[in-house]
Amino acid sequence: MSGNIHMNRKTIKRRILFTLLPGIIFLASCAQPLANFSETGPGGTPGTVTIRLSLGTGLARTAVPTITPGFYVVRITNTLDTVTYGSGSGTSGIVSVSFSAPLDATVSLVNIIAEAYDEEYGLLLAQGKEESFPSSNLGDSPITVTLNLVDPGPGTGDISLTFRFEEPIDPDDAVAAVEAHLYPSYDPDGTPFTDEWTPYSKRFTLGNGISDPPSDDGYRQITFEAADVPTGNAALSLWFYRKDGSLIKVFDDLGVLVYKNLTTNKWIVDDALVSSFDLTAENFLSSDATLLMPTGIIVGSAFGTLSPAFNSGTYHYGGLTGTGSLTLGFTLGKAGQTYALEVNGTVLASPSVTHTGDVYSASITGLTLQFNKVTIIVSAPDQLHSSRYTLDYTNGSSPTTVYYVSPGGTGNGLSLASPLGSVQAAVTAIRTAYADIGDPWPGKSTVSIEPAVIIVSGEVTGTASTNGLVDISDTGLYDTLPPIILQGNPDNPGTLDADELNRVLYIKNANVRLGDSLTLTGGRHPDDNDDGGGVKVVNGTFTMSGGTISGNIAYWGSGVSLDSGTFTMTGGSITGNGDSSFEDSDAGGVGVFVGGTFKMSGGTISNNIMGQGKGGGVLVPFGGTFTMTGGTISGNKFLSESPSQGGGVYVENDDDFTISGGSISGNIAYYGSGVYLNSGIFTMSGGSISGNGDISFGGWGSGGVGVYVGGTFNMSGGTISNNIIQEGWGGGVRVGRVLVDDEWVGGTFNMTGGTISGNKVLGVASGKGGGGLYIQGGAQFIMSGGSIIGNRADEHGGGMFIDDGSKFSMKGGSISGNTTNGLGGGVMLLGLGEYTMEGGIISGNTSASGGGVHLHGDLQFTMDGGTISGNTASNDGGGVNVASGNGKFTMNGGSISGNTAGSGGGVRVNGAIEMSGSAKIVNNPVYLTSGHFVTVTETMDTDGGAVLDSEDTGPGTVLIKGAASPPYTTAHILIQSDVDKFSHVDTSKTLIFDSGSEEGKIQ
């Protein structure tokens, strides 16, 4: 058997999931019994839920920091996460869950959601979910929920990782040196690792980093250390070398989590936490393969010759006309290796393979026209490392539908050996063949018309036409051209470079797809006040399944401009477009104009740069539609602060943006670093908006999402997390306003599900804050589900900051675990506005004053239902703080319990408080400052009432009154049963009903 060193090797990547350390247990005790609970459920008393954390890593080996959470939140919701039945939080392993009512008997399935936070910073560390859990089993114990560490957000951390390894079995493979290459920006689905050095790479030799001699158990040891590594998903690649410098083996599926201000120093290996990662001698057995010539292809045909030595990661070959099958021969490199066959993305369950000795022969059938990918996956004996060898097989028809282009080509384009010199020449040849009546184009005038394929090798330039370097125009769809696929040659990737003479590609009334191994670059329209530097689509269809669009410039849509057409992106990358010198230019990556439709399910739009303007990644300004179900929009940014808007996505003029999957992360703008919505509609049911914003951009707005000028943001799922802003408003979301015709026009945010977590507003500036959300005057926020958890504001409004003249309505969901150094740990209410709470839970929030809710100014907060519990204020008002003399808290229902504060654990009143009906403040004192009292506006229910404390303590001090008219439309006369629902925190003081004055007084 023969073996080969690694050459351009492709490696199987498995998505990395980081998890917390084992052994942490949550105990969630229910305040009220749930429906269907047994009298004595196994493992605990009725109403007790035990939640145990378990590991859930997606790799067999992952490095993590030693993290100990200091704060926990547990929620029980419906299966859509839109209704919260119970929620609780705590700083220990025991979490008390409060239920507003027992579960209805019709609720058969629930979701159990657990989250862990860092105690010092309030950062969301981990989250896990048990979906569709039978409610009848809530009394059982234990219930297992897996928590995975979340994206840590911007910052740096350190790495100190220990490796131990046995010498390989073959003495010729003795290890003389090891290189460690750390990739701090790692995409698990991206390109393979290379041996290129990074700023964090290190080399170890015997006696200089590699322990020599070995330890008693035969292992040598190295320790890889790196400081100030960017946070996030990183990966480590280890390269082992012989004495002669040749490569023995590469291990490049080592996941590493780097967390802010922490040291990554532990390994999760096979679901166990260990201090070192050990490699045995068997781990060094190679996964190389020797691939032989496909025996079913005629070598030397007009479509090119396949090299007899197929050892590289990918090889491109043009097949025979009409051939639907081939036979591929290969040998394995080492004993114990296994193989699998994959055809066009599907692994064959029962491949047709025979072998004679070491030579295997695979019969591949069912190949499609045009492009096929046939991949042999060879796995090492340890099954942890695999290599992929892919044959890109182009299968044409008659007449010829595949054309080849190379720089300086003078041939007919029908083979690699006889290429055309430009893509425009290939388009002309295709137009001629398509019009040939004598030899009809396959599928012409049918729904299954066969595309033409143009394969580009090397860098192709040329003289640009009026519209671009390549002009694919038709009078109508399929009038004179079939669908066209532009692709590069994997063995010699193609580039179309317009050299800034014009845009690269112009598409009108045509259907064009960009495939793999082709780059469009150097596009710039001669008129800088024009659109589409890389690609412009006019009433056509453009699909991007691969390739790269980079280094292009335009005033609008530097990468792609879409004008009344459709752009579908399933792969590839649009990156590095735009020019910081263009002032007020828009759409660094993609511009969707005039009725255009952009659908994104894969690929990346990243690192496009603008000076100032709108839409660093994507701009949807004039009647366009953008639907995102997958892919990534990341690292797009403006270099100038104001007036840059929408670092990732900008939507305006009643356009629609819908996201159900994918991620928008790491983008930067002055307003709306992730997404800016200006009078459009943004619907979010999934996906993530995370890690956007930059502390160098201060002052105004929104690390994650900004909603302005009548825009509507509907959130039913997904996450908005770990976004950041310095001295501004709205770390996660800002719902703002703009002056239009002398009137303030604000946006609307409807939240029925999803999570807003780990967002931050840093720094102290007058009146700023809103770690999770900021709602500006004239705007409105309506919440009936979802969660706002673990956000932070240095000044005010850890969870939310609701400003003067806005509307806040909470009907469900939870606001938990948020922190601020100032006012309003959960919610900060400021000035006049409509502020109501009908349901939901506000719990586990922390602040100086107003742990749950802080009322500041002449405003009224009305609570008709819901729960405010477990909040903490170091000064005033653990649950609710009524700070202003003209502020009023009206409580007609719901409950306040388990809150703590220096003064007024439940509620502190320096204004007015009204209670009626089922309003209940349980074992949580209401502190009344001098001259203030509780006004009972309707008869108190049996379960209603509160424990009162007061600054005035002398006999005869009035603490309870009935409602007088005005301002009440219907006066309520205080009665004895009302007073009976209240007591004084000092049990030596008795509250009596004075029938003469109809008041409740201290006796």
Side-chain angles (χ1 to χ4, degrees):
M1 296 187 182
S2 61
N4 304 298
I5 66 171
H6 295 257
M7 296 177 58
N8 302 321
R9 188 187 66 267
K10 285 193 174 181
T11 305
I12 293 178
K13 298 295 188 292
R14 289 161 285 182
R15 185 163 298 278
I16 301 175
L17 299 175
F18 298 107
T19 64
L20 279 178
L21 311 185
I24 303 173
I25 299 176
F26 289 130
L27 297 174
S29 60
C30 303
Q32 298 185 27
L34 298 178
N36 302 323
F37 268 19
S38 59
E39 284 296 315
T40 54
T45 59
T48 297
V49 180
T50 301
I51 299 177
R52 184 187 305 276
L53 300 189
S54 69
L55 296 174
T57 179
L59 282 180
R61 42 219 185 179
T62 300
V64 297
T66 305
I67 294 177
T68 303
F71 185 80
Y72 313 100
V73 175
V74 177
R75 293 184 294 125
I76 298 178
T77 71
N78 65 346
T79 55
L80 297 177
D81 295 338
T82 57
V83 178
T84 299
Y85 301 126
S87 177
S89 58
T91 57
S92 68
I94 307 272
V95 177
S96 178
V97 176
S98 299
F99 286 81
S100 57
L103 279 183
D104 189 278
T106 60
V107 179
S108 59
L109 299 174
V110 297
N111 291 341
I112 303 174
I113 303 170
E115 291 156 316
Y117 296 86
D118 168 73
E119 185 173 20
E120 181 177 359
Y121 299 103
L123 299 176
L124 177 65
L125 298 178
Q127 54 190 4
K129 187 175 186 180
E130 182 70 21
E131 297 188 277
S132 299
F133 188 84
S135 60
S136 59
N137 295 339
L138 284 174
D140 295 344
S141 177
I143 298 170
T144 299
V145 177
T146 300
L147 293 193
N148 294 319
L149 291 176
V150 301
D151 183 349
T156 62
D158 298 334
I159 293 175
S160 180
L161 294 172
T162 298
F163 301 87
R164 300 191 329 136
F165 61 90
E166 282 186 312
E167 289 290 356
I169 295 174
D170 189 341
D172 293 336
D173 289 341
V175 176
V178 180
E179 289 178 2
H181 300 278
L182 179 70
Y183 301 85
S185 299
Y186 168 55
D187 176 7
D189 295 327
T191 57
F193 300 120
T194 70
D195 57 353
E196 294 179 2
W197 287 73
T198 74
Y200 307 97
S201 297
K202 293 189 177 181
R203 181 178 176 86
F204 307 90
T205 58
L206 285 175
N208 186 16
I210 302 177
S211 60
D212 189 29
S215 59
D216 292 341
D217 59 2
Y219 280 82
R220 298 186 186 273
Q221 179 174 306
I222 63 173
T223 299
F224 174 77
E225 295 182 333
D228 298 326
V229 180
T231 58
N233 288 347
L236 196 62
S237 177
L238 294 180
W239 296 61
F240 288 82
Y241 293 91
R242 303 178 182 89
K243 292 181 181 179
D244 63 2
S246 61
L247 186 65
I248 304 170
K249 184 68 180 285
V250 177
F251 297 89
D252 54 11
D253 52 0
L254 308 177
V256 180
L257 176 73
V258 183
Y259 219 95
K260 183 178 180 180
N261 299 330
L262 296 176
T263 298
T264 299
N265 56 6
K266 299 292 183 182
W267 286 98
I268 297 172
V269 179
D270 296 330
D271 287 347
L273 187 69
V274 296
S275 297
S276 66
F277 173 56
D278 293 354
L279 294 168
T280 66
E282 286 75 15
N283 292 137
F284 285 89
L285 292 176
S286 173
S287 62
D288 288 349
T290 301
L291 303 184
L292 304 182
M293 179 178 61
T295 57
I297 299 176
I298 299 175
V299 178
S301 72
F303 290 91
T305 302
L306 181 63
S307 169
F310 181 34
N311 298 326
S312 63
T314 302
Y315 191 87
H316 177 73
Y317 186 74
L320 287 177
T321 298
T323 302
S325 62
L326 63 85
T327 301
L328 188 64
F330 61 94
T331 65
L332 297 180
K334 295 282 187 178
Q337 292 178 335
T338 58
Y339 68 88
L341 294 177
E342 179 182 284
V343 177
N344 295 328
T346 300
V347 176
L348 302 182
S350 300
S352 177
V353 179
T354 60
H355 69 93
T356 303
D358 296 337
V359 179
Y360 291 78
S361 179
S363 177
I364 311 296
T365 59
L367 298 178
T368 63
L369 290 173
Q370 307 298 322
F371 295 110
N372 297 274
K373 287 185 179 293
V374 179
T375 302
I376 302 174
I377 306 167
V378 181
S379 298
D382 62 8
Q383 297 297 303
L384 294 176
H385 185 270
S386 300
S387 296
R388 300 172 66 93
Y389 299 89
T390 299
L391 176 70
D392 277 356
Y393 183 76
T394 306
N395 189 26
S397 296
S398 178
T400 299
T401 59
V402 180
Y403 294 81
Y404 295 88
V405 173
S406 295
T410 58
N412 59 12
L414 302 183
S415 71
L416 281 170
S418 181
L420 292 162
S422 70
V423 173
Q424 197 62 52
V427 172
T428 300
I430 292 167
R431 199 185 304 270
T432 300
Y434 190 72
D436 189 346
I437 300 175
D439 192 2
W441 190 272
K444 186 177 182 179
S445 302
T446 71
V447 295
S448 57
I449 184 172
E450 182 175 337
V453 181
I454 301 174
I455 298 175
V456 181
S457 300
E459 182 175 333
V460 177
T461 59
T463 303
S465 68
T466 302
N467 292 320
L469 178 66
V470 179
D471 184 347
I472 305 178
S473 297
D474 207 340
T475 54
L477 191 62
Y478 307 144
D479 282 353
T480 66
L481 287 171
I484 293 178
I485 300 173
L486 292 173
Q487 174 166 321
N489 180 353
D491 261 6
N492 184 16
T495 298
L496 298 180
D497 188 349
D499 200 23
E500 296 195 6
L501 298 176
N502 207 321
R503 67 173 60 89
V504 182
L505 175 62
Y506 180 80
I507 303 168
K508 183 176 182 180
N509 297 322
N511 183 342
V512 178
R513 174 159 72 90
L514 179 62
D516 294 333
S517 304
L518 183 60
T519 298
L520 311 185
T521 189
R524 180 170 184 166
H525 197 275
D527 179 2
D528 282 339
N529 192 26
D530 206 336
D531 60 316
V535 179
K536 179 171 183 176
V537 183
V538 180
N539 198 33
T541 299
F542 177 46
T543 301
M544 187 173 182
S545 59
T548 302
I549 301 174
S550 67
N552 304 285
I553 302 170
Y555 195 78
W556 294 297
S558 288
V560 176
S561 173
L562 182 65
D563 185 349
S564 300
T566 300
F567 175 23
T568 302
M569 187 174 185
T570 62
S573 65
I574 301 173
T575 182
N577 300 285
D579 190 326
S580 61
S581 66
F582 274 38
E583 293 186 1
D584 295 325
S585 58
D586 300 330
V590 177
V592 185
F593 305 101
V594 194
T597 299
F598 179 25
K599 301 176 182 179
M600 183 177 185
S601 60
T604 61
I605 301 173
S606 65
N607 300 317
N608 300 287
I609 297 176
M610 308 287 284
Q612 57 186 16
K614 303 173 183 177
V618 178
L619 173 72
V620 190
F622 306 125
T625 300
F626 178 21
T627 301
M628 185 177 184
T629 59
T632 301
I633 301 174
S634 66
N636 304 285
K637 63 181 179 180
F638 292 91
L639 300 183
S640 175
E641 292 188 6
S642 182
S644 61
Q645 301 167 336
V649 179
Y650 180 97
V651 182
E652 71 175 351
N653 291 336
D654 297 322
D655 292 348
D656 293 340
F657 173 33
T658 301
I659 177 173
S660 59
S663 65
I664 301 172
S665 64
N667 305 284
I668 300 173
Y670 193 68
Y671 299 93
S673 285
V675 177
Y676 185 101
L677 183 65
N678 185 1
S679 73
I681 299 174
F682 179 14
T683 302
M684 184 175 188
S685 60
S688 65
I689 301 172
S690 65
N692 300 284
D694 190 302
I695 60 174
S696 66
F697 274 39
W700 285 89
S702 160
V705 178
V707 184
Y708 297 87
V709 196
T712 301
F713 181 9
N714 300 314
M715 184 177 186
S716 60
T719 60
I720 300 174
S721 64
N722 298 313
N723 302 285
I724 189 170
I725 188 171
Q726 179 78 20
E727 296 183 354
W729 288 284
V733 177
R734 172 179 172 145
V735 185
R737 66 182 183 184
V738 174
L739 193 62
V740 178
D741 297 331
D742 297 326
E743 292 187 9
W744 289 108
V745 180
T748 299
F749 186 6
N750 299 309
M751 186 174 186
T752 60
T755 302
I756 300 174
S757 65
N759 304 286
K760 297 182 286 295
V761 177
L762 303 180
V764 177
S766 179
K768 297 184 179 181
L773 297 97
Y774 170 76
I775 312 298
Q776 195 173 13
Q780 58 180 333
F781 173 74
I782 303 170
M783 182 180 189
S784 58
S787 59
I788 301 171
I789 297 181
N791 302 283
R792 169 189 169 192
D794 282 351
E795 189 164 13
H796 302 308
M800 300 181 64
F801 190 126
I802 315 295
D803 212 339
D804 188 8
S806 57
K807 178 179 179 181
F808 167 69
S809 175
M810 185 176 184
K811 303 177 181 180
S814 64
I815 302 174
S816 304
N818 304 285
T819 62
T820 181
N821 298 328
L823 310 176
V827 180
M828 166 73 171
L829 301 176
L830 177 64
L832 297 174
E834 300 179 38
Y835 310 123
T836 61
M837 181 178 182
E838 301 175 28
I841 298 171
I842 301 175
S843 66
N845 304 286
T846 304
S847 70
S849 292
V853 181
H854 182 89
L855 283 63
H856 197 90
D858 301 343
L859 60 90
Q860 176 171 323
F861 173 43
T862 301
M863 184 177 180
D864 294 326
T867 300
I868 300 176
S869 66
N871 302 284
T872 301
S874 57
N875 296 326
D876 302 330
V880 177
N881 186 40
V882 185
S884 171
N886 293 321
K888 182 167 68 174
F889 175 35
T890 300
M891 188 177 182
N892 303 316
S895 66
I896 298 175
S897 64
N899 306 283
T900 59
S903 173
V907 181
R908 188 180 190 276
V909 180
N910 193 39
I913 179 172
E914 300 173 349
M915 296 183 68
S916 68
S918 60
K920 177 170 57 177
I921 305 176
V922 182
N923 297 324
N924 221 193
V926 176
Y927 185 84
L928 303 168
T929 60
S930 180
H932 295 94
F933 48 84
V934 176
T935 300
V936 178
T937 58
E938 293 182 9
T939 302
M940 299 297 298
D941 291 350
T942 303
D943 292 337
V947 177
L948 305 181
D949 195 359
S950 58
E951 188 175 0
D952 299 328
T953 59
T957 299
V958 177
L959 298 185
I960 310 169
K961 287 188 177 183
S965 182
Y968 305 99
T969 56
T970 303
H972 174 71
I973 300 174
L974 195 72
I975 58 178
Q976 178 71 50
S977 63
D978 292 329
V979 178
D980 291 343
K981 304 301 188 300
F982 297 87
S983 62
H984 199 281
V985 67
D986 184 350
T987 56
S988 66
K989 294 179 173 61
T990 303
L991 295 182
I992 62 171
F993 172 57
D994 186 337
S995 59
S997 61
E998 296 174 350
E999 296 173 335
K1001 301 179 178 180
I1002 297 177
Q1003 188 173 31

